[in-house]
C-alpha cells in the first residue's frame, strides 16, 4: 500500500509518500518506508513483484511550458520474520 501526504507550497503542491508492506496473513508488516518524490509532481505508483514503480510528471519551474517524465524503481522493503 502507498499513501501520500500532500502539502500546499505556494502555487504548487508538495508531498511525502510512504509505502507499507503487509503480507496476506497480516502477521508481518513493514510500515511507512518513505518514497522519494520530486517537488510539484503528481506521482503514479505500481508494484511488480518486489519492485515499487514510481512514475512522475514534473512541470518545469519557473518555465511551466516544459515538463519531464521520470520513472524510478525501488525494491520494496522486506519485513523481518516473526
Amino acid at each position: 500500500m502507498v499513501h501520500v501526504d500532500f502539502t500546499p507550497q505556494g502555487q504548487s503542491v508538495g508531498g511525502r509518500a510512504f509505502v507499507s508492506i503487509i503480507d496476506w496473513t497480516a502477521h508481518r508488516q513493514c510500515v511507512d518506508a518513505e518514497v522519494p518524490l520530486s517537488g510539484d509532481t503528481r506521482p503514479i505508483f505500481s508494484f511488480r513483484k518486489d519492485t515499487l514503480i514510481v512514475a512522475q510528471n514534473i512541470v518545469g519551474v519557473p518555465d511551466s511550458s516544459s515538463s519531464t517524465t521520470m520513472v524510478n524503481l525501488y525494491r520494496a522493503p522486506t519485513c523481518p520474520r516473526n
Side-chain angles (χ1 to χ4, degrees):
M1 172 181 69
V2 176
H3 65 275
V4 180
D5 294 330
F6 289 105
T7 308
Q9 297 175 340
Q11 293 183 2
S12 64
V13 175
R16 295 173 63 194
F18 302 90
V19 61
S20 298
I21 308 294
I22 302 171
D23 76 0
W24 67 274
T25 64
H27 287 94
R28 291 187 302 136
Q29 56 186 337
C30 299
V31 295
D32 294 345
E34 189 163 2
V35 178
L37 295 180
S38 296
D40 203 16
T41 183
R42 194 171 287 157
I44 299 170
F45 304 96
S46 181
F47 278 98
R48 181 179 168 105
K49 297 185 181 183
D50 66 348
T51 302
L52 172 64
I53 303 163
V54 182
Q56 302 179 74
N57 289 322
I58 303 162
V59 177
V61 177
D63 178 16
S64 61
S65 65
S66 66
S67 66
T68 302
T69 300
M70 289 182 13
V71 177
N72 298 97
L73 307 176
Y74 302 99
R75 175 166 242 128
T78 56
C79 302
R81 297 231 179 244
N82 292 337

Coordinates of all heavy atoms in Angstrom, one line a residue:
M1 N 0.8 -1.2 0.0 CA 0.0 0.0 0.0 C 0.9 1.2 0.0 O 1.9 1.3 0.7 CB -0.9 0.0 1.2 CG -1.7 1.3 1.4 SD -2.7 1.3 2.9 CE -1.5 1.4 4.2
V2 N 0.5 2.2 -0.8 CA 1.3 3.5 -0.8 C 0.3 4.6 -0.4 O -0.9 4.6 -0.9 CB 1.8 3.8 -2.2 CG1 2.5 5.2 -2.2 CG2 2.8 2.7 -2.6
H3 N 0.7 5.5 0.5 CA -0.1 6.7 0.8 C 0.7 7.9 0.7 O 1.9 7.9 0.9 CB -0.8 6.5 2.1 CG 0.1 6.5 3.3 ND1 0.7 5.4 3.8 CD2 0.5 7.5 4.1 CE1 1.4 5.7 4.8 NE2 1.3 6.9 5.0
V4 N 0.1 9.0 0.3 CA 0.8 10.3 0.1 C 0.1 11.4 1.0 O -1.1 11.5 1.1 CB 0.7 10.8 -1.4 CG1 1.4 12.1 -1.5 CG2 1.3 9.7 -2.3
D5 N 1.0 12.1 1.7 CA 0.5 13.3 2.5 C 0.9 14.5 1.7 O 2.0 14.8 1.6 CB 1.2 13.3 3.8 CG 0.9 12.2 4.8 OD1 -0.3 11.7 4.7 OD2 1.7 11.8 5.6
F6 N -0.1 15.1 1.0 CA 0.1 16.3 0.2 C 0.1 17.6 1.1 O -0.6 17.7 2.1 CB -1.0 16.4 -0.8 CG -0.9 15.4 -1.9 CD1 -1.8 14.3 -2.0 CD2 0.0 15.5 -2.9 CE1 -1.7 13.4 -3.0 CE2 0.1 14.5 -3.9 CZ -0.8 13.5 -3.9
T7 N 1.0 18.5 0.7 CA 1.2 19.8 1.4 C 1.2 20.9 0.4 O 2.0 20.9 -0.5 CB 2.5 19.8 2.1 OG1 2.6 18.6 2.9 CG2 2.6 21.0 3.0
P8 N 0.3 21.9 0.5 CA 0.3 23.1 -0.4 C 1.6 23.8 -0.1 O 2.1 24.0 1.0 CB -0.9 23.9 0.1 CG -1.7 23.1 0.9 CD -0.8 22.0 1.5
Q9 N 2.3 24.3 -1.3 CA 3.5 25.0 -1.2 C 3.4 26.2 -2.2 O 3.8 26.1 -3.3 CB 4.7 24.1 -1.6 CG 4.9 23.0 -0.6 CD 6.0 22.1 -1.0 OE1 6.4 22.0 -2.2 NE2 6.5 21.3 0.0
G10 N 2.8 27.3 -1.7 CA 2.6 28.4 -2.6 C 1.5 28.0 -3.7 O 0.5 27.6 -3.4
Q11 N 1.9 28.2 -5.0 CA 1.0 27.8 -6.1 C 1.2 26.4 -6.5 O 0.5 26.0 -7.5 CB 1.3 28.8 -7.3 CG 0.9 30.2 -6.9 CD 1.1 31.1 -8.2 OE1 1.5 30.7 -9.2 NE2 0.8 32.4 -8.0
S12 N 2.0 25.6 -5.9 CA 2.2 24.2 -6.2 C 1.9 23.3 -5.0 O 1.5 23.8 -4.0 CB 3.6 23.9 -6.7 OG 4.5 24.2 -5.7
V13 N 2.0 22.1 -5.2 CA 1.7 21.1 -4.2 C 2.9 20.2 -4.0 O 3.4 19.6 -5.0 CB 0.4 20.3 -4.5 CG1 0.2 19.2 -3.5 CG2 -0.8 21.2 -4.6
G14 N 3.3 20.0 -2.8 CA 4.4 19.0 -2.5 C 3.8 17.9 -1.7 O 2.6 17.8 -1.4
G15 N 4.6 17.0 -1.3 CA 4.1 15.9 -0.5 C 5.1 14.9 -0.2 O 6.2 14.9 -0.8
R16 N 4.8 14.0 0.7 CA 5.7 12.9 1.1 C 4.9 11.6 0.9 O 3.7 11.5 1.2 CB 6.1 13.0 2.5 CG 7.0 14.3 2.7 CD 7.3 14.5 4.1 NE 8.1 13.4 4.7 CZ 8.3 13.2 6.0 NH1 7.8 14.0 6.9 NH2 9.1 12.2 6.4
A17 N 5.5 10.6 0.3 CA 4.9 9.3 0.0 C 5.5 8.2 0.9 O 6.7 8.3 1.2 CB 5.0 8.9 -1.4
F18 N 4.7 7.3 1.3 CA 5.2 6.2 2.2 C 4.6 4.9 1.7 O 3.5 4.8 1.2 CB 4.7 6.4 3.6 CG 5.2 7.7 4.2 CD1 4.4 8.9 4.1 CD2 6.4 7.8 4.9 CE1 4.8 10.1 4.6 CE2 6.8 9.0 5.4 CZ 6.1 10.1 5.3
V19 N 5.4 3.8 1.7 CA 5.0 2.5 1.3 C 4.9 1.6 2.6 O 5.8 1.7 3.5 CB 5.9 1.9 0.3 CG1 7.3 1.7 0.8 CG2 5.3 0.6 -0.2
S20 N 3.8 0.9 2.7 CA 3.6 -0.1 3.8 C 3.4 -1.5 3.2 O 2.6 -1.6 2.2 CB 2.4 0.3 4.6 OG 2.6 1.5 5.2
I21 N 4.1 -2.5 3.7 CA 4.0 -3.8 3.2 C 3.4 -4.7 4.3 O 3.8 -4.7 5.4 CB 5.4 -4.4 2.8 CG1 6.2 -3.5 1.9 CG2 5.3 -5.8 2.3 CD1 5.6 -3.3 0.5
I22 N 2.3 -5.3 3.9 CA 1.6 -6.2 4.8 C 1.4 -7.6 4.1 O 0.8 -7.6 3.0 CB 0.3 -5.7 5.3 CG1 0.5 -4.3 6.0 CG2 -0.5 -6.6 6.2 CD1 -0.8 -3.6 6.3
D23 N 1.9 -8.7 4.7 CA 1.7 -9.9 4.0 C 0.2 -10.4 4.1 O -0.6 -9.9 4.9 CB 2.7 -11.0 4.5 CG 2.3 -11.6 5.8 OD1 1.3 -11.2 6.4 OD2 3.1 -12.5 6.3
W24 N -0.1 -11.3 3.3 CA -1.6 -11.7 3.1 C -2.1 -12.3 4.4 O -3.3 -12.3 4.6 CB -1.7 -12.7 2.0 CG -1.1 -14.0 2.2 CD1 0.2 -14.4 1.9 CD2 -1.7 -15.2 2.7 NE1 0.5 -15.7 2.3 CE2 -0.7 -16.2 2.8 CE3 -3.0 -15.5 3.2 CZ2 -0.9 -17.5 3.3 CZ3 -3.2 -16.8 3.7 CH2 -2.2 -17.7 3.7
T25 N -1.3 -12.8 5.3 CA -1.8 -13.3 6.6 C -1.9 -12.2 7.7 O -2.4 -12.4 8.7 CB -0.8 -14.4 7.2 OG1 0.4 -13.8 7.4 CG2 -0.7 -15.5 6.2
A26 N -1.4 -11.0 7.3 CA -1.4 -9.9 8.2 C -0.5 -10.1 9.5 O -0.7 -9.5 10.5 CB -2.8 -9.4 8.6
H27 N 0.3 -11.1 9.4 CA 1.2 -11.4 10.6 C 2.5 -10.6 10.5 O 3.2 -10.4 11.5 CB 1.5 -12.9 10.7 CG 0.3 -13.7 11.2 ND1 -0.6 -14.3 10.3 CD2 -0.1 -14.0 12.4 CE1 -1.5 -14.9 11.0 NE2 -1.3 -14.7 12.3
R28 N 3.0 -10.3 9.3 CA 4.2 -9.5 9.2 C 3.8 -8.2 8.5 O 3.0 -8.2 7.6 CB 5.2 -10.3 8.3 CG 5.8 -11.5 9.0 CD 6.9 -12.1 8.1 NE 6.4 -12.4 6.8 CZ 7.1 -12.2 5.7 NH1 8.2 -11.6 5.7 NH2 6.6 -12.5 4.5
Q29 N 4.5 -7.1 8.9 CA 4.3 -5.9 8.3 C 5.5 -5.0 8.4 O 6.2 -5.1 9.3 CB 3.0 -5.2 8.8 CG 3.1 -4.9 10.3 CD 1.7 -4.4 10.8 OE1 1.0 -3.8 10.0 NE2 1.4 -4.6 12.1
C30 N 5.7 -4.2 7.4 CA 6.7 -3.1 7.4 C 5.9 -1.8 7.0 O 5.3 -1.8 6.0 CB 7.8 -3.4 6.3 SG 8.7 -4.9 6.5
V31 N 6.0 -0.8 7.9 CA 5.2 0.3 7.6 C 6.0 1.6 7.4 O 7.0 1.8 8.0 CB 4.1 0.5 8.7 CG1 3.1 -0.6 8.8 CG2 4.8 0.7 10.1
D32 N 5.5 2.4 6.6 CA 5.9 3.8 6.4 C 7.4 4.0 6.0 O 8.1 4.8 6.6 CB 5.6 4.6 7.7 CG 4.1 4.8 7.9 OD1 3.4 4.6 6.9 OD2 3.7 5.2 9.0
A33 N 7.8 3.2 5.1 CA 9.1 3.5 4.5 C 8.9 4.6 3.5 O 8.0 4.6 2.6 CB 9.7 2.3 3.7
E34 N 9.7 5.7 3.6 CA 9.4 6.9 2.7 C 9.9 6.6 1.3 O 10.9 6.0 1.1 CB 10.1 8.1 3.3 CG 9.7 9.4 2.5 CD 10.1 10.7 3.3 OE1 10.6 10.6 4.4 OE2 9.7 11.7 2.7
V35 N 9.1 7.1 0.3 CA 9.4 7.0 -1.1 C 9.8 8.4 -1.6 O 9.0 9.3 -1.4 CB 8.2 6.5 -1.9 CG1 8.5 6.4 -3.4 CG2 7.7 5.2 -1.4
P36 N 11.0 8.6 -2.1 CA 11.4 9.9 -2.6 C 10.5 10.4 -3.7 O 10.2 9.7 -4.7 CB 12.8 9.7 -3.1 CG 13.3 8.4 -2.5 CD 12.1 7.6 -2.3
L37 N 10.1 11.7 -3.6 CA 9.3 12.3 -4.7 C 9.9 13.6 -5.1 O 10.6 14.3 -4.2 CB 7.9 12.6 -4.2 CG 7.0 11.5 -3.8 CD1 5.6 12.0 -3.4 CD2 6.8 10.5 -5.0
S38 N 9.7 14.0 -6.3 CA 10.2 15.3 -6.8 C 9.1 16.4 -6.4 O 8.0 16.0 -6.1 CB 10.3 15.4 -8.3 OG 11.3 14.5 -8.7
G39 N 9.5 17.6 -6.3 CA 8.5 18.7 -6.0 C 7.6 18.9 -7.1 O 7.9 18.6 -8.3
D40 N 6.4 19.4 -6.8 CA 5.4 19.7 -7.8 C 5.1 18.6 -8.8 O 5.2 18.8 -10.0 CB 5.7 21.0 -8.5 CG 4.5 21.7 -9.1 OD1 3.4 21.3 -8.7 OD2 4.6 22.6 -10.0
T41 N 4.8 17.4 -8.3 CA 4.5 16.3 -9.1 C 3.2 15.6 -8.7 O 2.8 15.8 -7.6 CB 5.7 15.3 -9.0 OG1 5.4 14.2 -9.9 CG2 5.9 14.7 -7.6
R42 N 2.7 14.8 -9.6 CA 1.5 14.0 -9.3 C 1.9 12.6 -9.6 O 1.8 12.1 -10.7 CB 0.3 14.5 -10.1 CG -1.0 13.9 -9.6 CD -2.1 14.5 -10.3 NE -2.4 15.9 -9.8 CZ -3.0 16.8 -10.5 NH1 -3.4 16.5 -11.7 NH2 -3.1 18.0 -10.0
P43 N 2.5 11.9 -8.6 CA 3.1 10.5 -8.9 C 2.0 9.5 -9.1 O 0.9 9.6 -8.7 CB 3.9 10.2 -7.6 CG 3.1 11.0 -6.5 CD 2.6 12.2 -7.2
I44 N 2.4 8.5 -9.9 CA 1.6 7.3 -10.1 C 2.4 6.1 -9.6 O 3.6 6.0 -9.9 CB 1.3 7.1 -11.6 CG1 0.5 8.3 -12.1 CG2 0.5 5.8 -11.8 CD1 0.3 8.3 -13.6
F45 N 1.8 5.2 -8.8 CA 2.5 4.1 -8.2 C 2.0 2.8 -8.7 O 0.8 2.6 -9.0 CB 2.3 4.1 -6.7 CG 2.8 5.4 -6.0 CD1 1.8 6.4 -5.8 CD2 4.1 5.6 -5.7 CE1 2.2 7.6 -5.2 CE2 4.5 6.8 -5.1 CZ 3.5 7.8 -4.8
S46 N 3.0 1.8 -8.8 CA 2.6 0.5 -9.3 C 3.6 -0.5 -8.6 O 4.7 -0.1 -8.4 CB 2.6 0.4 -10.8 OG 2.3 -0.9 -11.2
F47 N 3.2 -1.7 -8.4 CA 4.1 -2.8 -8.0 C 4.2 -3.8 -9.1 O 3.2 -4.2 -9.8 CB 3.5 -3.5 -6.7 CG 3.8 -2.7 -5.5 CD1 2.8 -1.9 -4.9 CD2 5.0 -2.9 -4.8 CE1 3.1 -1.2 -3.7 CE2 5.3 -2.2 -3.6 CZ 4.3 -1.4 -3.1
R48 N 5.4 -4.4 -9.2 CA 5.6 -5.6 -10.0 C 6.5 -6.5 -9.2 O 7.7 -6.1 -9.0 CB 6.2 -5.3 -11.3 CG 6.4 -6.5 -12.2 CD 7.0 -6.2 -13.5 NE 7.5 -7.4 -14.2 CZ 6.9 -7.9 -15.2 NH1 5.8 -7.4 -15.7 NH2 7.3 -9.0 -15.7
K49 N 6.0 -7.6 -8.7 CA 6.7 -8.5 -7.8 C 7.2 -7.7 -6.6 O 6.4 -7.1 -5.9 CB 7.8 -9.3 -8.5 CG 7.2 -10.2 -9.6 CD 8.3 -11.0 -10.2 CE 7.7 -11.8 -11.3 NZ 8.7 -12.7 -11.9
D50 N 8.5 -7.6 -6.4 CA 9.1 -6.9 -5.2 C 9.6 -5.5 -5.5 O 10.4 -5.0 -4.8 CB 10.2 -7.8 -4.5 CG 11.4 -7.9 -5.4 OD1 11.3 -7.6 -6.6 OD2 12.4 -8.3 -4.9
T51 N 9.1 -5.0 -6.6 CA 9.6 -3.7 -7.1 C 8.4 -2.6 -7.1 O 7.4 -2.9 -7.6 CB 10.2 -3.8 -8.5 OG1 11.2 -4.7 -8.5 CG2 10.7 -2.4 -9.0
L52 N 8.7 -1.5 -6.4 CA 7.8 -0.4 -6.5 C 8.2 0.5 -7.7 O 9.3 0.9 -7.8 CB 7.8 0.4 -5.2 CG 7.0 1.7 -5.1 CD1 5.5 1.5 -5.3 CD2 7.3 2.5 -3.9
I53 N 7.2 0.8 -8.5 CA 7.5 1.7 -9.7 C 6.8 3.0 -9.4 O 5.6 3.0 -9.1 CB 6.9 1.0 -11.0 CG1 7.6 -0.4 -11.2 CG2 7.2 1.9 -12.2 CD1 6.8 -1.3 -12.1
V54 N 7.5 4.1 -9.6 CA 7.0 5.4 -9.4 C 7.2 6.2 -10.6 O 8.3 6.5 -11.0 CB 7.7 6.1 -8.2 CG1 7.1 7.5 -7.9 CG2 7.6 5.3 -6.9
A55 N 6.1 6.6 -11.3 CA 6.2 7.5 -12.5 C 5.7 8.9 -12.1 O 4.7 9.1 -11.4 CB 5.3 7.0 -13.6
Q56 N 6.5 9.9 -12.5 CA 6.2 11.3 -12.1 C 6.3 12.2 -13.3 O 7.3 12.1 -14.1 CB 7.2 11.8 -11.0 CG 7.2 11.0 -9.8 CD 8.2 11.5 -8.8 OE1 8.0 12.5 -8.2 NE2 9.3 10.8 -8.7
N57 N 5.4 13.1 -13.5 CA 5.5 14.1 -14.5 C 5.8 15.4 -13.7 O 5.1 15.8 -12.8 CB 4.1 14.4 -15.2 CG 3.9 13.2 -16.2 OD1 4.8 12.7 -16.8 ND2 2.6 12.8 -16.3
I58 N 6.9 16.0 -14.0 CA 7.4 17.1 -13.3 C 7.4 18.3 -14.2 O 8.0 18.4 -15.2 CB 8.9 16.9 -12.8 CG1 8.9 15.6 -12.0 CG2 9.4 18.1 -12.1 CD1 10.3 15.0 -11.8
V59 N 6.6 19.3 -13.8 CA 6.4 20.6 -14.5 C 7.7 21.4 -14.3 O 8.1 21.6 -13.2 CB 5.2 21.3 -14.1 CG1 5.0 22.6 -14.8 CG2 3.9 20.5 -14.3
G60 N 8.2 22.0 -15.4 CA 9.4 22.8 -15.3 C 9.1 24.1 -14.5 O 8.1 24.7 -14.6
V61 N 10.0 24.4 -13.6 CA 9.9 25.6 -12.7 C 11.1 26.5 -13.0 O 12.2 26.0 -13.0 CB 9.9 25.2 -11.2 CG1 9.8 26.4 -10.4 CG2 8.7 24.2 -11.0
P62 N 11.0 27.7 -13.3 CA 9.8 28.5 -13.4 C 9.0 28.4 -14.7 O 8.0 29.0 -14.8 CB 10.3 29.9 -13.1 CG 11.6 30.0 -13.7 CD 12.2 28.5 -13.5
D63 N 9.6 27.8 -15.7 CA 9.0 27.7 -17.0 C 8.0 26.6 -17.0 O 8.3 25.4 -17.2 CB 10.1 27.4 -18.1 CG 9.5 27.3 -19.5 OD1 8.4 27.7 -19.7 OD2 10.3 26.8 -20.3
S64 N 6.7 26.9 -16.8 CA 5.7 25.9 -16.8 C 5.3 25.3 -18.1 O 4.3 24.6 -18.2 CB 4.4 26.4 -16.0 OG 3.9 27.5 -16.7
S65 N 6.0 25.7 -19.2 CA 5.6 25.2 -20.5 C 6.4 23.9 -20.8 O 6.2 23.3 -21.9 CB 5.9 26.3 -21.6 OG 7.3 26.5 -21.7
S66 N 7.3 23.5 -19.9 CA 8.1 22.3 -20.2 C 7.8 21.3 -19.0 O 7.4 21.7 -17.9 CB 9.6 22.6 -20.2 OG 10.0 23.1 -19.0
S67 N 8.0 20.0 -19.3 CA 7.8 19.0 -18.3 C 8.8 17.9 -18.6 O 9.3 17.7 -19.7 CB 6.4 18.5 -18.2 OG 6.1 17.8 -19.4
T68 N 9.0 17.1 -17.5 CA 9.9 15.9 -17.6 C 9.1 14.7 -17.0 O 8.5 14.9 -16.0 CB 11.2 16.1 -16.9 OG1 11.8 17.3 -17.4 CG2 12.1 14.9 -16.9
T69 N 9.3 13.6 -17.6 CA 8.7 12.4 -17.0 C 9.8 11.5 -16.5 O 10.8 11.2 -17.2 CB 7.9 11.6 -18.1 OG1 6.8 12.4 -18.6 CG2 7.3 10.3 -17.5
M70 N 9.7 11.1 -15.2 CA 10.7 10.2 -14.6 C 10.0 9.0 -14.1 O 8.9 9.0 -13.7 CB 11.3 10.9 -13.4 CG 12.3 12.0 -13.7 SD 13.1 12.8 -12.3 CE 12.8 11.7 -11.0
V71 N 10.7 7.8 -14.3 CA 10.3 6.6 -13.8 C 11.4 6.0 -12.9 O 12.5 5.9 -13.3 CB 9.9 5.6 -14.9 CG1 9.5 4.2 -14.3 CG2 8.8 6.1 -15.8
N72 N 11.1 5.8 -11.6 CA 12.0 5.3 -10.7 C 11.6 3.9 -10.2 O 10.4 3.7 -10.0 CB 12.2 6.2 -9.5 CG 12.7 7.6 -9.9 OD1 11.9 8.5 -10.1 ND2 14.0 7.7 -10.1
L73 N 12.5 3.0 -10.0 CA 12.2 1.7 -9.5 C 12.9 1.5 -8.1 O 14.1 1.9 -7.9 CB 12.8 0.6 -10.4 CG 12.4 0.7 -11.9 CD1 13.1 -0.4 -12.7 CD2 10.9 0.6 -12.0
Y74 N 12.1 1.0 -7.1 CA 12.7 0.8 -5.8 C 12.3 -0.6 -5.4 O 11.2 -1.0 -5.6 CB 12.0 1.8 -4.8 CG 12.2 3.2 -5.1 CD1 11.3 4.0 -5.8 CD2 13.4 3.9 -4.8 CE1 11.5 5.3 -6.1 CE2 13.7 5.2 -5.1 CZ 12.7 5.9 -5.8 OH 12.9 7.2 -6.1
R75 N 13.3 -1.3 -4.8 CA 13.0 -2.6 -4.2 C 12.1 -2.4 -3.0 O 12.4 -1.6 -2.1 CB 14.2 -3.4 -3.9 CG 13.9 -4.7 -3.2 CD 15.1 -5.5 -3.2 NE 14.7 -6.7 -3.9 CZ 15.4 -7.2 -4.9 NH1 16.5 -6.7 -5.3 NH2 14.9 -8.3 -5.6
A76 N 11.0 -3.1 -2.9 CA 10.1 -2.9 -1.7 C 10.8 -3.4 -0.5 O 11.6 -4.4 -0.5 CB 8.8 -3.7 -2.0
P77 N 10.6 -2.8 0.6 CA 11.3 -3.2 1.9 C 10.8 -4.6 2.3 O 9.7 -5.0 2.0 CB 10.8 -2.1 2.9 CG 9.6 -1.5 2.3 CD 9.7 -1.6 0.9
T78 N 11.7 -5.3 2.8 CA 11.4 -6.7 3.3 C 11.1 -6.6 4.8 O 11.7 -5.8 5.5 CB 12.5 -7.7 3.1 OG1 13.7 -7.2 3.7 CG2 12.8 -7.9 1.6
C79 N 10.1 -7.4 5.2 CA 9.7 -7.4 6.6 C 10.5 -8.5 7.3 O 10.7 -9.6 6.8 CB 8.2 -7.7 6.7 SG 7.2 -6.6 5.8
P80 N 10.9 -8.2 8.6 CA 11.5 -9.2 9.4 C 10.5 -10.4 9.7 O 9.3 -10.1 9.8 CB 11.9 -8.5 10.6 CG 11.1 -7.3 10.7 CD 10.7 -6.9 9.3
R81 N 11.1 -11.5 9.7 CA 10.2 -12.7 10.0 C 10.0 -12.8 11.5 O 10.9 -12.5 12.3 CB 10.9 -14.0 9.6 CG 11.1 -14.0 8.1 CD 10.6 -15.3 7.5 NE 10.8 -15.3 6.1 CZ 9.7 -15.4 5.3 NH1 8.5 -15.4 5.7 NH2 10.0 -15.4 4.0
N82 N 8.7 -13.1 11.9 CA 8.4 -13.2 13.3 C 8.8 -14.6 13.8 O 8.7 -15.6 13.2 CB 6.9 -13.0 13.6 CG 6.5 -11.6 13.3 OD1 7.4 -10.7 13.3 ND2 5.3 -11.4 13.0

